[in-house]
Amino acid sequence: MNEEFEQNLLTFKRKTITIDELEKLIPATITYEEFSALILQLEQEYVLQIIKSKGRNQRTPSLAYHYRINKHQLNRAYHQQLQAYRLKFNDAIDLDAYFHLNHTTWVADLPYLEKVNTYIEKNGFPIENIPAPERSYELVYDEKWIEQKGSEVLKRINLWNTMKILPVSDPLMLAINPNTITEENHLHIIVENKTTYQALLPVLPSSSFSTLIYGSGNKIPKSIENFSNQYPVEGNHRFFYFGDIDQSGITIWHSLHRREPATPALPFYQACLHKTGAHGKTNQRPNDKALTAFLDHFPKKQRHIILDLLDRGAYYPQEVLKTKELQTICLETDWRHVKA
């Protein structure tokens, strides 16, 4: 209960809190004695600082009516806990990401991290690739864990590749440029629709891209997990993404970007902005977080153009760019210097 309670304090919007508000942050089944013991402990740890002018109640033990929340101290305690688990866990489990994430994520992941650590200590690291459900059951005794959230956890602690997991998602549909196989740095372009894929395919061997990947709409955030198995080429890999400029296309990019960082292919998107927008997609759900992240890649003036477009219920399909335009942009852009 203490960890959950402290997380509630961290996310509480104000810097001060009343005793009544504190009581609402705990389960109704907790007795006053248990509640007061917790509050007094947090007083001693300087997490809750008494506002003396507001006084204390008359119950036993007595608590203050108002407190100031020391969120710096709460984060300090959280970081101390992370340091303790660093010493406890196998050295291969990288906890660095959690220092930049909120406590809720850590609390949710910890039971699985403990099971992964137990597996490593008992079995060492796997030497053969096996399907995700089988590996998932080996690690945490839940065959669906990797598919549902475990892949994110394993990537967060830098163990995804080490655990030799064969994703069960649909195979990635891609074309390979044979002229870049021996290079050290590889660029990959993912396109949302078949039309754009077919348009770029003929010029792939002459381009700076190592692969042309057909995203197939919402399938790409999951199927990208198969990339390293389908293109086992050593070197540095950077992904670009080009989809429709609409709520759905932006959300697909954001879902992909959270799994595998992918830079919006700005030269393609920017070319769309010189065209006339289309109308008709009025039932798409906006995703404010995805839109904000997407717009961050564009200059200020172009952000306003996109926002105005979406506010008017308009959009740009990839097909607004003709085959010749797509091919010219693909071949004439210095993709290695396009900013992330």
Side-chain angles (χ1 to χ4, degrees):
M1 182 192 74
N2 197 21
E3 289 184 351
E4 182 179 354
F5 183 74
E6 289 181 2
Q7 178 56 34
N8 289 335
L9 288 177
L10 270 173
T11 56
F12 194 76
K13 293 183 179 180
R14 298 199 317 275
K15 294 181 179 179
T16 61
I17 189 168
T18 69
I19 191 66
D20 291 336
E21 289 170 330
L22 284 168
E23 284 190 285
K24 293 177 182 178
L25 299 181
I26 63 171
T29 55
I30 299 301
T31 66
Y32 179 77
E33 287 73 20
E34 293 171 320
F35 170 66
S36 58
L38 174 61
I39 300 303
L40 291 172
Q41 177 187 338
L42 295 177
E43 283 185 26
Q44 293 176 355
E45 295 172 356
Y46 301 103
V47 170
L48 291 176
Q49 299 172 326
I50 300 169
I51 300 177
K52 294 182 179 180
S53 61
K54 301 294 184 178
R56 301 182 75 96
N57 65 18
Q58 302 302 311
R59 302 182 67 176
T60 304
S62 177
L63 299 175
Y65 283 118
H66 284 77
Y67 290 92
R68 183 171 289 105
I69 304 171
N70 187 346
K71 294 189 178 182
H72 175 75
Q73 185 69 12
L74 275 172
N75 275 319
R76 182 180 174 186
Y78 168 41
H79 290 171
Q80 288 175 340
Q81 185 182 34
L82 289 175
Q83 294 287 9
Y85 273 95
R86 267 182 168 168
L87 298 174
K88 177 182 177 181
F89 284 162
N90 186 281
D91 290 343
I93 298 178
D94 184 356
L95 300 182
D96 285 356
Y98 290 99
F99 285 88
H100 307 288
L101 297 171
N102 62 49
H103 193 235
T104 303
T105 303
W106 166 251
V107 171
D109 289 359
L110 182 56
Y112 299 105
L113 297 179
E114 291 178 322
K115 291 178 180 178
V116 170
N117 182 68
T118 299
Y119 172 88
I120 295 171
E121 295 297 318
K122 182 179 179 180
N123 304 289
F125 297 100
I127 58 176
E128 294 182 352
N129 292 309
I130 63 173
E134 184 178 345
R135 183 72 73 211
S136 185
Y137 191 79
E138 283 186 348
L139 292 174
V140 302
Y141 305 104
D142 179 354
E143 71 279 5
K144 296 181 179 179
W145 176 69
I146 287 178
E147 181 181 355
Q148 292 176 342
K149 67 168 292 185
S151 61
E152 292 183 14
V153 176
L154 292 173
K155 288 174 183 176
R156 194 173 289 142
I157 60 176
N158 289 324
L159 282 183
W160 174 256
N161 292 328
T162 306
M163 285 301 168
K164 296 189 176 296
I165 297 162
L166 293 174
V168 293
S169 53
D170 291 338
L172 200 61
M173 291 174 274
L174 56 83
I176 294 173
N177 181 355
N179 300 319
T180 64
I181 294 290
T182 59
E183 294 184 5
E184 181 179 352
N185 297 306
H186 297 274
L187 304 179
H188 310 277
I189 179 69
I190 303 168
V191 297
E192 185 178 336
N193 300 331
K194 285 181 182 179
T195 304
T196 309
Y197 178 89
Q198 294 294 344
L200 293 177
L201 187 59
V203 298
L204 177 62
S206 303
S207 76
S208 55
F209 290 109
S210 295
T211 68
L212 169 63
I213 301 171
Y214 169 45
S216 190
N218 286 301
K219 290 185 178 180
I220 186 61
K222 187 66 178 171
S223 59
I224 194 66
E225 294 178 349
N226 288 303
F227 178 79
S228 59
N229 292 317
Q230 293 184 230
Y231 191 76
V233 176
E234 296 291 334
N236 303 310
H237 298 274
R238 182 183 178 191
F239 295 88
F240 289 89
Y241 183 83
F242 176 43
D244 295 340
I245 304 180
D246 60 13
Q247 299 289 0
S248 177
I250 293 170
T251 297
I252 292 170
W253 165 78
H254 190 244
S255 297
L256 166 66
H257 186 64
R258 291 173 61 193
R259 288 179 176 265
E260 181 67 58
T263 303
L266 290 189
F268 288 126
Y269 284 114
Q270 290 168 333
C272 292
L273 301 183
H274 296 287
K275 307 291 184 177
T276 301
H279 290 79
K281 294 186 178 180
T282 58
N283 60 343
Q284 293 186 349
R285 297 177 60 184
N287 183 327
D288 292 339
K289 185 178 292 186
L291 180 58
T292 299
F294 181 73
L295 292 176
D296 281 346
H297 292 271
F298 290 82
K300 185 176 181 180
K301 185 177 180 180
Q302 293 175 354
R303 294 179 201 171
H304 290 306
I305 293 174
I306 295 171
L307 283 171
D308 178 66
L309 176 90
L310 298 176
D311 286 343
R312 291 187 286 106
Y315 70 102
Y316 285 115
Q318 287 183 289
E319 290 80 3
V320 75
L321 298 181
K322 304 303 182 185
T323 295
K324 194 63 179 178
E325 291 176 287
L326 290 164
Q327 293 177 346
T328 300
I329 294 169
C330 179
L331 294 176
E332 294 185 357
T333 299
D334 184 359
W335 292 98
R336 298 190 186 280
H337 290 89
V338 174
K339 292 183 179 180

